[in-house]
Amino acid sequence: MDQILEIKGLRKYFPIAEGGFFKTAWVKAVDNISFSVQKGQTFALVGESGCGKTTTARIILLLDNPTAGIVLFCGKNIFGLNPGEIRQYRSSVQAVFQDPYSSLSPRLRVGAIISEPLRANRKHLTKAAIQEKVNEVLLQVGLDPEMATLFPHEFSGGQRQRIAIARSLVQQPSLIVLDEPVSALDISMQAQIMNLLKELQDRLKLSYLLIAHNLATVRYMSHAIGIMYLGKLVEKGASEAVFAKRLHPYTQALFSAALPTHPDLVQESPYMLGEVPSALNPPPGCRFHPRCSSAKPICSRVEPELKMIAPGHEVACLLC
Ligand code: SF4
């Protein structure tokens, strides 16, 4: 299967001035991660707050520069694009954010919000062509084109997220970064928006990079999954394989902390010790060792690399 996006050895270190002028420490928000998104599929990046998943998304969206590593989009490194190619890339790669209310201008009518990228980037389009495109994407997300004259505050949370999705579709992207797209919505709305995203993926052959911490959302939406901890990928593979057999102790703890999906099911007790350490001074060896109930003395000395445990299933643990 073809890859639409390939991330290789990506690092993002943020400098922090420490004491004297020449002394700089680094927050290693993303530290040498590699993964790929296949065409027409969803890759989910999962982990606790501060694990580096949103920083990764910001780099892919060209909102931050990486410290090292490359991002290939359709085989081309996005950090070597010329201004025209960057404009094209920004059209092809769109984003949908968590809070649809703050991501939509309250002063603009829905039609103006959705058509803004077209008016900025496709100046040759006539007013009628733009209106036709706006109507088309509103219908695609299940909204009446007549709603284009309303303001965002006149919609429910779920409808506002549909508007945000319509805006992301208007430039006919091939990849959409979904940053916690349903976590600000109530449960019934979450299901509707997830179904809509899946239906659009099938119909328009879209690829998604899903940033999420809700495992139910990830299980329902993703084809492949990467588990991040303190800037590192600790497990990755096909979603089915990871959900069937989670191997890394952090993945096991993360999954057991999730609420059961049925009232008769008993919640597993999470066995993660303590708090997430600071990315400013991550523990030596395996970064998870201070919290890992399976840790051995070697874990604080040797840093585990991702290794293939089964076809397409990789784990970074010295004991796996
Ligand atoms: Fe736990 Fe050691 Fe594996 Fe790290 S390497 S996850 S500390 S067992």
Side-chain angles (χ1 to χ4, degrees), residues 248-249 286 288-289 292 294-296 299 304 316-319:
H248 195 280
C286 173
F288 188 55
H289 85 261
C292 179
S294 312
K296 301 279 181 273
C299 299
C317 172
L318 298 171
L319 305 190

Side-chain angles (χ1 to χ4, degrees), residues 99-122:
D99 181 357
Y101 200 71
S102 62
S103 67
L104 303 175
S105 171
R107 295 203 195 104
L108 295 179
R109 293 178 195 276
V110 164
I113 291 172
I114 295 174
S115 62
E116 198 174 20
L118 292 180
R119 285 183 279 116
N121 297 320
R122 309 218 183 147

